[in-house]
Amino acid sequence: MNRKLFLALVVLGLGSFVFTSCAKYPQAEVDATNLTIQEAVTAGAEMYLHEEFVAMQDSMNAVMVSLEEEKSKFFKNFDSQIAQLTTVTTMATDLKAKTLVRIEELKVEIQTLITETQALVDTNKVLVQTAPKGKEGKSALEAIKGEIEVIEASLAEVNTMFASGELLATIDKAKAAKEKAAAINEELNTVIAKFQGKKK
Amino acid sequence: MKKRILIFTPILLILLGIAFVAYNYQTKKPPVADLNQAAKKLSEAEALHANYYAKEAYNFAKICYDSAFHRLSVENNRNIIARNYDHITVFTNKSIQSSKEAIQLTKDHLKSIKGKLSVQLDETEKLVIDFDAKYKHFPIRKADKEDFVKSKLLCNEGRLNFESEQFEACATKLDWANRLLKKLHAKYQSELSAYFSNYDTWQTWINETIRQSKQSKGNCIIVDKYAREARLYVAGKLHHTYDIELSENWAGNKMYQGDKATPEGRYKIKAKKAHGSTKYYKALLIDYPNDDDKIRFNAKKKNKQLQRSAKIGGLIEIHGGGGKGYDWTDGCVALTNDEMDHIFKFTSVGTPVTIVGSSIPLEDARKILAQKLGHTKSTLDDPEI
């Protein structure tokens, strides 16, 4: 009888042990998700896709709370949390990819702006050369040359900022330089057209 | 009986133990809802960049949330009977409260900074427009022209930064542009005021010229450099107004040959050049230098204000070829060819030509300009600039 009782106690004890410790905390999955999130951060997701980044972090926080909730239970089962971690990992992977795409888009946009502005500056320089010389156009052309020099200086700054990776700050500067270069181009064409009109 | 008691007592104790543990598991539950709410509020704050605009409140909310989460983890690692989740709720409540505060502070700050920057942007753009309008034809030095272009670029960058909600960058650009523009306004305001110090003399010349025109029933021309107009008077009455173009250094009296200034004084037409005898369609040569010009020139040379080799110059004309839209002559007054035809008919050798800086005081000139710009109160009237 004593032996039977001892056996029952052992089975009960083992059963409790099995039930309470069979589901292990998914530390490996948590680490893997955090690593993917870190990769998205390194790619610049926080800066370039802020809202999506915050949403992803929100999801991760919810999963972490859910994990702790599960940890507090007597009968643990982390399957649902593991599935959630997989979702967050996918989100982070997508975000990293999207960030890289956004960065490339910005780079292309800035490069296009730089090229277009440089082309306008070059055209303006040619227009200045082909504009009427002598005293009649000299003062106005000198003023325009000064403006072109300022735009070139601004363009040089844009290139430096672009090279240092300050993409968001660079794009507005590049846009402003292009706007000004385009305005000068229009002004030059108007002046030249006016002069040519006079010649006729 | 004793044997039964010995058997069932441990079983009862174990069952009671299990019941106690089960009761604890049932009653001691982590405040998950609170934690989730705290995390949500924190995310909401972060999405608004509260970590930048309301750093203190946001950081406190984050610390409280992290503490709550850490506490939860610690408690979960403890024996169920020893677990206590009360502190967690305290932390989550503090975190939620602080996040709310950070969100409100951020919203207030953004509203305020947007308002301020919007006003600053308008002001800076107005300064650009005003400077452009006021000094469009005023001789501006090369370095200042560059500063003006730079300030326009900065203003544009500021506008783009504002639109993309990069408020800090926007503020920096606008501050810089504002400083440059105010410096330029102050500098040229002072030069313009100094130039207008001759206004009384100009007024005397104009009155005398018109009075003589009235008395002799003859014609005369008044050239108003600041207004960029030449006015034809017939028998003392205004008959026609012509738009004019001048030299690049028109603001000031002519001092020497090659200074690209248009002389100021009372002159007469010395010769009329018909089409074909001048490269500027038609021309009215005036008798610059007159006696006053010669006295002034010699005095400056004597005082060594002018180089010994300096010459007084001449060949100042009212001629055609104008209508280019900018100042391009070497000191002459240019009209369009059509208007040259018109003025040519009303003039002869000896017709008085009076050239002045302005026919109206600076204050009136400002008001006219402000009206043209559509401002009820222009920055031109601002004593600070």
Side-chain angles (χ1 to χ4, degrees):
Chain A
M1 186 65 183
N2 272 350
R3 205 174 155 191
K4 275 183 183 171
L5 181 68
F6 177 72
L7 215 65
L9 287 173
V10 168
V11 167
L12 199 68
L14 276 173
S16 302
F17 178 77
V18 166
F19 273 120
T20 53
S21 59
C22 61
K24 266 186 93 180
Y25 185 83
Q27 191 58 51
E29 285 84 349
V30 170
D31 290 345
T33 309
N34 277 330
L35 193 71
T36 321
I37 290 173
Q38 194 49 49
E39 282 172 10
V41 172
T42 310
E46 201 172 356
M47 190 189 291
Y48 296 105
L49 294 165
H50 185 72
E51 279 177 32
E52 288 179 48
F53 176 78
V54 171
M56 181 203 64
Q57 251 194 342
D58 197 26
S59 302
M60 185 59 184
N61 284 341
V63 176
M64 291 307 287
V65 172
S66 174
L67 277 166
E68 284 303 322
E69 185 189 12
E70 199 59 36
K71 217 169 109 182
S72 71
K73 289 178 182 169
F74 185 77
F75 298 111
K76 298 173 182 60
N77 181 0
F78 293 109
D79 289 351
S80 141
Q81 286 76 14
I82 289 169
Q84 285 171 24
L85 281 169
T86 310
T87 309
V88 176
T89 307
T90 312
M91 277 170 84
T93 310
D94 288 350
L95 192 59
K96 183 189 164 189
K98 272 188 189 174
T99 305
L100 294 175
V101 169
R102 178 76 191 121
I103 288 171
E104 279 314 304
E105 279 172 0
L106 277 171
K107 279 182 180 173
V108 169
E109 200 178 338
I110 293 167
Q111 270 167 337
T112 308
L113 279 168
I114 291 173
T115 311
E116 285 172 353
T117 313
Q118 190 59 58
L120 277 167
V121 166
D122 292 343
T123 311
N124 290 345
K125 280 181 174 174
V126 173
L127 286 174
V128 165
Q129 293 303 317
T130 53
K133 292 188 176 63
K135 73 172 189 176
E136 293 181 7
K138 209 179 160 194
S139 61
L141 292 177
E142 281 305 314
I144 287 171
K145 272 183 196 170
E147 293 194 330
I148 294 172
E149 280 169 22
V150 173
I151 293 169
E152 279 190 307
S154 178
L155 209 52
E157 273 181 62
V158 167
N159 276 311
T160 312
M161 285 165 78
F162 181 57
S164 67
E166 297 172 63
L167 302 182
L168 291 176
T170 310
I171 198 153
D172 287 344
K173 201 168 186 64
K175 277 180 187 169
K178 194 194 161 191
E179 271 180 28
K180 185 66 197 157
I184 288 177
N185 188 267
E186 200 184 319
E187 191 186 344
L188 259 175
N189 280 321
T190 310
V191 168
I192 290 168
K194 219 170 187 178
F195 178 78
Q196 282 169 347
K198 283 264 136 244
K199 271 175 89 177
K200 284 170 197 169
Chain B
M1 185 63 184
K2 200 177 176 182
K3 199 177 174 184
R4 277 188 182 177
I5 289 170
L6 276 172
I7 290 166
F8 285 107
T9 302
I11 291 171
L12 194 67
L13 283 172
I14 286 167
L15 286 173
L16 275 171
I18 288 169
F20 182 67
V21 169
Y23 173 77
N24 270 289
Y25 269 111
Q26 195 59 36
T27 52
K28 286 184 184 175
K29 288 200 170 168
V32 173
D34 289 349
L35 263 161
N36 280 333
Q37 202 194 340
K40 262 206 157 38
K41 277 282 160 212
L42 205 58
S43 291
E44 208 180 303
E46 204 183 335
L48 286 171
H49 298 276
N51 48 337
Y52 182 77
Y53 295 114
K55 211 171 180 178
E56 213 174 302
Y58 175 84
N59 282 348
F60 186 69
K62 179 102 174 74
I63 288 167
C64 287
Y65 177 79
D66 288 345
S67 302
F69 193 81
H70 175 72
R71 198 74 225 156
L72 174 67
S73 191
V74 168
E75 290 299 329
N76 281 345
N77 287 333
R78 294 174 76 180
N79 189 301
I80 182 65
I81 299 158
R83 283 180 200 173
N84 181 2
Y85 294 118
D86 292 349
H87 295 306
I88 295 169
T89 313
V90 174
F91 281 129
T92 51
N93 285 344
K94 276 185 182 174
S95 177
I96 291 165
Q97 198 53 43
S98 248
S99 287
K100 280 181 182 170
E101 197 185 318
I103 289 165
Q104 195 52 50
L105 282 170
T106 303
K107 281 181 179 170
D108 290 348
H109 182 76
L110 284 175
K111 197 178 166 188
S112 148
I113 201 169
K114 268 186 192 174
K116 271 185 200 166
L117 286 175
S118 172
V119 170
Q120 204 181 346
L121 188 58
D122 285 349
E123 276 174 5
T124 313
E125 282 176 346
K126 206 164 139 222
L127 280 173
V128 169
I129 293 166
D130 281 358
F131 190 84
D132 211 15
K134 191 176 178 186
Y135 303 107
K136 190 179 180 183
H137 300 292
F138 200 77
I140 307 290
R141 278 174 280 283
K142 194 176 179 244
D144 293 331
K145 273 180 189 164
E146 283 178 8
D147 274 354
F148 182 56
V149 178
K150 200 181 279 177
S151 66
K152 280 202 275 187
L153 272 176
L154 285 166
C155 190
N156 273 359
E157 284 173 35
R159 182 175 44 77
L160 292 166
N161 286 153
F162 183 80
E163 282 163 8
S164 58
E165 301 205 331
Q166 292 182 59
F167 299 121
E168 200 195 7
C170 172
T172 310
K173 306 273 170 62
L174 292 182
D175 279 346
W176 191 2
N178 235 283
R179 272 203 307 276
L180 282 177
L181 286 162
K182 284 190 173 174
K183 190 186 85 183
L184 289 172
H185 267 283
K187 186 176 180 177
Y188 286 97
Q189 180 59 55
S190 141
E191 286 198 10
L192 197 59
S193 296
Y195 180 50
F196 268 75
S197 65
N198 295 319
Y199 174 71
D200 290 344
T201 311
W202 299 335
Q203 196 57 46
T204 310
W205 291 344
I206 293 169
N207 291 342
E208 271 294 300
T209 310
I210 296 172
R211 191 181 57 78
Q212 280 177 11
S213 159
K214 198 174 178 180
Q215 275 179 355
S216 66
K217 303 213 182 295
N219 302 344
C220 72
I221 299 164
I222 305 288
V223 174
D224 182 336
K225 294 204 282 185
Y226 188 75
R228 315 184 65 71
E229 283 176 2
R231 298 179 194 117
L232 172 71
Y233 284 82
V234 175
K237 283 189 175 171
L238 181 64
H239 182 74
H240 195 85
T241 302
Y242 310 92
D243 287 335
I244 59 168
E245 280 155 11
L246 298 161
S247 52
E248 62 179 277
N249 192 27
W250 61 266
N253 208 345
K254 188 164 185 66
M255 295 297 165
Y256 58 93
Q257 188 176 41
D259 64 359
K260 291 187 184 293
T262 306
E264 289 164 11
R266 298 185 67 188
Y267 305 99
K268 283 191 167 77
I269 292 175
K270 204 163 108 181
K272 285 180 80 177
K273 296 179 183 175
H275 183 41
S277 54
T278 169
K279 66 173 181 172
Y280 298 112
Y281 184 62
K282 287 178 182 175
L284 303 168
L285 177 69
I286 64 167
D287 63 347
Y288 172 84
N290 62 19
D291 290 344
D292 288 345
D293 295 324
K294 283 173 194 164
I295 292 166
R296 195 179 57 247
F297 176 76
N298 289 329
K300 284 200 181 286
K301 222 171 171 182
K302 200 177 170 186
N303 294 340
K304 294 182 179 174
Q305 285 174 282
L306 290 174
Q307 284 183 349
R308 280 174 68 185
S309 59
K311 289 177 184 171
I312 195 164
L315 272 176
I316 300 296
E317 298 175 337
I318 296 173
H319 59 57
K324 296 185 199 305
Y326 55 91
D327 290 320
W328 53 274
T329 74
D330 274 346
C332 296
V333 177
L335 272 66
T336 63
N337 292 348
D338 287 347
E339 297 212 300
M340 203 57 217
D341 283 337
H342 188 271
I343 204 167
F344 216 71
K345 285 182 209 159
F346 285 86
T347 49
S348 55
V349 172
T351 300
V353 176
T354 295
I355 306 174
V356 296
S358 176
S359 58
I360 52 168
L362 183 57
E363 292 70 30
D364 292 348
R366 278 179 182 163
K367 278 177 197 162
I368 291 168
L369 186 63
Q371 277 169 0
K372 276 184 188 172
L373 291 170
H375 302 160
T376 46
K377 186 187 184 302
S378 166
T379 50
L380 309 174
D381 303 323
D382 195 335
E384 279 182 35
I385 50 173

